[in-house]
Coordinates of all heavy atoms in Angstrom, one line a residue:
V137 N -24.3 -43.4 61.1 CA -25.7 -43.8 60.8 C -26.1 -44.9 61.8 O -27.3 -44.8 62.3 CB -25.7 -44.5 59.4 CG1 -27.1 -45.0 59.1 CG2 -25.4 -43.4 58.3
G138 N -25.3 -45.8 62.2 CA -25.7 -46.9 63.1 C -26.2 -46.3 64.4 O -27.1 -46.9 65.0
A139 N -25.7 -45.2 64.9 CA -26.1 -44.7 66.2 C -27.6 -44.2 66.1 O -28.2 -44.0 67.2 CB -25.2 -43.5 66.6
C140 N -28.1 -44.0 64.9 CA -29.5 -43.5 64.8 C -30.5 -44.7 64.8 O -31.7 -44.4 64.8 CB -29.7 -42.8 63.5 SG -28.6 -41.3 63.4
F141 N -30.1 -45.9 64.9 CA -31.0 -47.1 64.8 C -31.1 -47.8 66.1 O -30.1 -48.0 66.8 CB -30.5 -48.1 63.7 CG -30.8 -47.6 62.3 CD1 -30.0 -46.7 61.7 CD2 -31.8 -48.1 61.6 CE1 -30.2 -46.3 60.4 CE2 -32.1 -47.7 60.3 CZ -31.3 -46.8 59.7
S142 N -32.3 -48.2 66.5 CA -32.5 -49.0 67.6 C -32.7 -50.5 67.2 O -33.6 -50.8 66.4 CB -33.8 -48.5 68.3 OG -34.3 -49.5 69.2
V143 N -31.9 -51.3 67.7 CA -32.0 -52.8 67.4 C -33.3 -53.3 67.8 O -33.9 -54.1 67.0 CB -30.8 -53.6 68.0 CG1 -31.0 -55.1 67.8 CG2 -29.5 -53.1 67.4
N144 N -33.8 -52.9 68.9 CA -35.2 -53.3 69.3 C -36.2 -53.0 68.3 O -37.1 -53.8 68.0 CB -35.5 -52.7 70.7 CG -34.7 -53.3 71.8 OD1 -34.0 -54.3 71.6 ND2 -34.7 -52.6 73.0
N145 N -36.2 -51.8 67.8 CA -37.2 -51.4 66.8 C -37.0 -52.1 65.5 O -38.0 -52.5 64.8 CB -37.0 -49.9 66.5 CG -37.5 -49.0 67.6 OD1 -38.3 -49.5 68.5 ND2 -37.1 -47.7 67.7
M146 N -35.7 -52.4 65.1 CA -35.5 -53.1 63.9 C -36.1 -54.5 64.0 O -36.6 -55.1 63.0 CB -34.0 -53.2 63.6 CG -33.4 -51.8 63.3 SD -31.6 -51.9 63.1 CE -31.4 -52.8 61.5
L147 N -35.9 -55.2 65.1 CA -36.4 -56.5 65.3 C -37.9 -56.6 65.3 O -38.5 -57.7 65.1 CB -35.8 -57.2 66.6 CG -34.3 -57.4 66.6 CD1 -33.8 -57.9 68.0 CD2 -34.0 -58.5 65.5
R148 N -38.5 -55.5 65.6 CA -40.0 -55.5 65.6 C -40.5 -55.3 64.2 O -41.7 -55.5 63.9 CB -40.6 -54.4 66.5 CG -40.5 -54.7 67.9 CD -41.4 -53.7 68.8 NE -40.8 -52.4 68.8 CZ -39.9 -52.1 69.8 NH1 -39.7 -52.9 70.8 NH2 -39.4 -50.9 69.8
A149 N -39.7 -55.0 63.2 CA -40.1 -54.8 61.8 C -40.6 -56.1 61.2 O -40.0 -57.1 61.4 CB -38.9 -54.2 61.0
Y152 N -38.3 -58.4 59.3 CA -37.3 -59.2 60.0 C -38.0 -60.3 60.8 O -37.5 -61.4 60.9 CB -36.4 -58.4 60.9 CG -35.5 -57.5 60.1 CD1 -35.1 -56.2 60.6 CD2 -34.9 -57.9 59.0 CE1 -34.2 -55.4 60.0 CE2 -34.0 -57.1 58.3 CZ -33.6 -55.9 58.8 OH -32.7 -55.1 58.1
F165 N -29.6 -58.3 57.8 CA -30.0 -57.4 58.8 C -29.6 -56.0 58.5 O -30.2 -55.0 58.9 CB -29.4 -57.9 60.2 CG -29.9 -57.2 61.4 CD1 -31.3 -57.3 61.7 CD2 -29.1 -56.4 62.2 CE1 -31.8 -56.6 62.8 CE2 -29.6 -55.7 63.3 CZ -31.0 -55.9 63.6
M168 N -31.9 -52.8 56.0 CA -32.7 -51.7 56.4 C -31.8 -50.4 56.5 O -32.1 -49.3 56.1 CB -33.4 -51.9 57.7 CG -34.2 -50.8 58.2 SD -35.0 -51.0 59.8 CE -36.2 -52.2 59.4
I169 N -30.6 -50.6 57.1 CA -29.7 -49.5 57.2 C -29.2 -49.0 55.9 O -29.2 -47.7 55.7 CB -28.5 -49.9 58.1 CG1 -28.9 -50.3 59.5 CG2 -27.4 -48.8 58.2 CD1 -27.8 -50.8 60.4
A199 N -37.6 -46.1 58.4 CA -36.2 -45.9 58.9 C -35.5 -44.8 58.2 O -34.8 -44.0 58.8 CB -35.5 -47.3 58.8
E202 N -36.9 -41.4 59.3 CA -36.4 -41.0 60.7 C -35.0 -40.7 60.7 O -34.5 -39.8 61.4 CB -36.7 -42.2 61.6 CG -38.2 -42.4 61.9 CD -38.9 -41.1 62.4 OE1 -38.3 -40.5 63.4 OE2 -39.9 -40.8 61.9
K206 N -33.6 -37.1 62.1 CA -32.6 -37.1 63.2 C -31.4 -36.3 62.9 O -30.8 -35.6 63.7 CB -32.3 -38.5 63.6 CG -33.4 -39.2 64.4 CD -33.0 -40.6 64.8 CE -34.1 -41.3 65.5 NZ -33.7 -42.8 65.8

Side-chain angles (χ1 to χ4, degrees):
V137 178
C140 298
F141 282 80
S142 162
V143 172
N144 290 344
N145 288 340
M146 293 175 71
L147 291 175
R148 282 193 289 268
Y152 290 146
F165 191 64
M168 179 183 288
I169 297 176
E202 290 306 309
K206 287 178 180 178

